[in-house]
Amino acid sequence: MNFKRFDTLSWKIVGFSLTSLALTAAILLVGYYGTSLLIWLNPSRSFWGVKLLRWVINNIGSTPIVILMGIPLFIFFILKLSRNTTSNLHNISSGVQAIADGNLSFKVPVTGTDELGKLAENMNLMAGKLKSAIEEERAAAKAKNDLITDVSHDLRTPLTSVLGFLEYVENDRYKNEVELRYYVNIAYEKSLALKKLIDDLFEYTRVSSSGLPLNLKPVDLGKLLEQLVEEFAPVLKQADMSYRIHTDKDPLIIHGDADELVRLYENLFTNAVRYGKEGKILDISVYRTDDRVIATCTNYGNPIPATDLPHLFKRFYRVDKSRSRETGGSGLGLAIAKSITELHGGMISAKSSRKQTEFETSFPASE
Ligand SMILES: Nc1ncnc2c1ncn2[C@@H]1O[C@H](COP(=O)(O)OP(=O)(O)O)[C@@H](O)[C@H]1O
Ligand SMILES: [Mg+2]
């Protein structure tokens, strides 16, 4: 027999009522026979208590006495028996009040497995979910604020120097045409860097918002990278670099948005050219493990210090601030790469030794 079916509030109320009724009846019965015994033991009515009892029975009658005593007894037992249940109800009600007052860490004690126990359990669950949702919301608001602070700083620096050089020109503070051209050229270069920063920023906010719609299709990551690096050949040539690509023969299919994946690897390739020029070679390798497709992108020389590795994927993080500025980086490339990877359910990591720096992306393989 399944007793769980009876572990409900309605059955508890039935149980409490029947038990209280039985207890009341038992006490009344004991009272009745007790009284009869007393009267029988003391027929001479010498004891004053027995006199009183006889008077009551003769003048009021036993039925009203049974009712008069039975009702308070029944109420007493039912209150006693249901004390646990009412205290659970009380706990739940104070829990609701605490949660309504914003104390989301409040835990309603869960006792029993009836509806009240389940209600308490669900309330704790709800408060927990609400708490993490609010914390997430707060973190997002803080991230947005921090981003605005970082961005205003990073936009102001190049803009100040553009304005400075244009002011020279505007106020005719140049000696000859050569100097004029020099100032204009610097202002132009800085404006280009500014535009690149704004483009990256736009890209970063676009891919780091969780709701970015992806146009997911089966993509052969090996083929995609072969094609992309081929398109990259002129850039590599200009940097006096060459590439080697090794892809497994098996299909290396993942579920992905090809345009976004191109953006991800463009960032890695651009970095390899920017920071690994001295190593002369960009190595790309795509292979499959049990259930993942892995692509690595390796360049040689210019190691990243171990202390910088954990921060590399944070937005605006640059290993060598002055050098990166010189090379025109915004510090957003790897943050963009990370967001795109994670949007695809993938992982990205970096390893760097004196010999080589390797970025690895891994995605769930799709059959
Ligand atoms: N392939 C690489 N080799 C060496 N250092 C790298 C490489 N890729 C990235 N880095 C370092 O990581 C920093 C962050 O990269 P990224 O987010 O793309 O920003 P940036 O705009 O500076 O290129 C770079 O400034 C650079 O110092
Ligand atoms: Mg970069």
Side-chain angles (χ1 to χ4, degrees), residues 202-316:
F202 181 74
E203 196 58 31
Y204 172 71
T205 40
R206 195 182 65 87
V207 298
S208 66
S209 65
S210 51
L212 178 74
L214 288 180
N215 182 15
L216 292 175
K217 288 201 178 105
V219 176
D220 188 322
L221 199 58
K223 295 238 159 56
L224 180 128
L225 284 174
E226 267 169 5
Q227 204 179 328
L228 184 65
V229 76
E230 212 164 289
E231 284 167 25
F232 227 73
V235 180
L236 287 163
K237 198 159 180 230
Q238 207 175 16
D240 199 17
M241 288 178 84
S242 59
Y243 71 86
R244 296 185 295 212
I245 180 158
H246 177 270
T247 59
D248 269 2
K249 290 282 161 292
D250 319 322
L252 299 156
I253 312 289
I254 64 168
H255 221 55
D257 183 321
D259 290 341
E260 301 298 343
L261 291 170
V262 163
R263 259 178 213 116
L264 151 62
Y265 291 104
E266 261 173 4
N267 273 305
L268 296 187
F269 292 176
T270 311
N271 281 349
V273 172
R274 207 178 262 167
Y275 309 107
K277 209 183 279 182
E278 293 95 70
K280 301 279 179 211
I281 288 172
L282 163 63
D283 268 327
I284 295 150
S285 168
V286 194
Y287 57 94
R288 168 142 191 193
T289 61
D290 275 353
D291 54 350
R292 300 190 81 82
V293 175
I294 299 185
T296 62
C297 180
T298 311
N299 54 271
Y300 301 86
N302 190 20
I304 303 171
T307 45
D308 289 301
L309 276 177
H311 309 290
L312 226 51
F313 296 95
K314 288 182 189 158
R315 61 177 187 225
F316 297 116

Side-chain angles (χ1 to χ4, degrees), residues 28-38:
L28 288 177
L29 229 71
V30 169
Y32 174 77
Y33 285 114
T35 315
S36 309
L37 192 68
L38 259 176

Side-chain angles (χ1 to χ4, degrees), residues 271 274-275 299 304 312 317-319 324 329-331 333-334 359:
N271 281 349
R274 207 178 262 167
Y275 309 107
N299 54 271
I304 303 171
L312 226 51
Y317 194 86
R318 304 177 189 106
V319 173
S324 304
S330 63
L334 289 179
F359 284 85

Side-chain angles (χ1 to χ4, degrees), residues 78-140:
I78 210 156
L79 284 181
K80 269 267 174 237
L81 288 172
S82 61
R83 209 168 53 180
N84 258 344
T85 307
T86 44
S87 99
N88 281 350
L89 255 176
H90 181 76
N91 283 342
I92 289 171
S93 133
S94 8
V96 171
Q97 188 62 50
I99 291 168
D101 289 344
N103 177 7
L104 296 178
S105 317
F106 189 90
K107 284 263 169 293
V108 183
V110 179
T111 47
T113 51
D114 60 6
E115 289 99 325
L116 289 183
K118 279 180 204 134
L119 182 63
E121 216 174 282
N122 286 338
M123 267 179 54
N124 289 339
L125 217 73
M126 179 194 78
K129 280 192 180 160
L130 219 68
K131 192 168 174 226
S132 50
I134 288 178
E135 272 163 8
E136 245 167 56
E137 193 73 25
R138 277 194 195 135

Side-chain angles (χ1 to χ4, degrees), residues 43-189:
S44 58
R45 303 170 202 174
S46 58
F47 180 50
W48 68 267
V50 175
K51 261 191 232 160
L52 180 72
L53 269 175
R54 275 208 160 264
W55 183 86
V56 167
I57 290 166
N58 290 337
N59 292 284
I60 303 178
S62 44
T63 315
I65 293 178
V66 165
I67 292 172
L68 267 175
M69 284 178 69
I71 289 174
L73 271 173
F74 180 78
I75 291 175
F76 170 78
F77 283 125
I78 210 156
L79 284 181
K80 269 267 174 237
L81 288 172
S82 61
R83 209 168 53 180
N84 258 344
T85 307
T86 44
S87 99
N88 281 350
L89 255 176
H90 181 76
N91 283 342
I92 289 171
S93 133
S94 8
V96 171
Q97 188 62 50
I99 291 168
D101 289 344
N103 177 7
L104 296 178
S105 317
F106 189 90
K107 284 263 169 293
V108 183
V110 179
T111 47
T113 51
D114 60 6
E115 289 99 325
L116 289 183
K118 279 180 204 134
L119 182 63
E121 216 174 282
N122 286 338
M123 267 179 54
N124 289 339
L125 217 73
M126 179 194 78
K129 280 192 180 160
L130 219 68
K131 192 168 174 226
S132 50
I134 288 178
E135 272 163 8
E136 245 167 56
E137 193 73 25
R138 277 194 195 135
K142 184 175 179 311
K144 209 171 264 177
N145 252 340
D146 291 351
L147 180 67
I148 291 171
T149 318
D150 292 347
V151 169
S152 357
H153 176 264
D154 275 56
L155 289 179
R156 200 163 44 201
T157 322
L159 192 61
T160 312
S161 79
V162 168
L163 286 174
F165 285 107
L166 288 182
E167 210 175 83
Y168 281 157
V169 177
E170 166 80 0
N171 297 336
D172 296 331
R173 279 165 58 193
Y174 52 88
K175 290 194 211 90
N176 49 37
E177 175 123 355
V178 178
E179 205 171 87
L180 167 70
R181 284 211 147 267
Y182 174 70
Y183 290 156
V184 170
N185 184 256
I186 298 180
Y188 178 67
E189 293 290 331

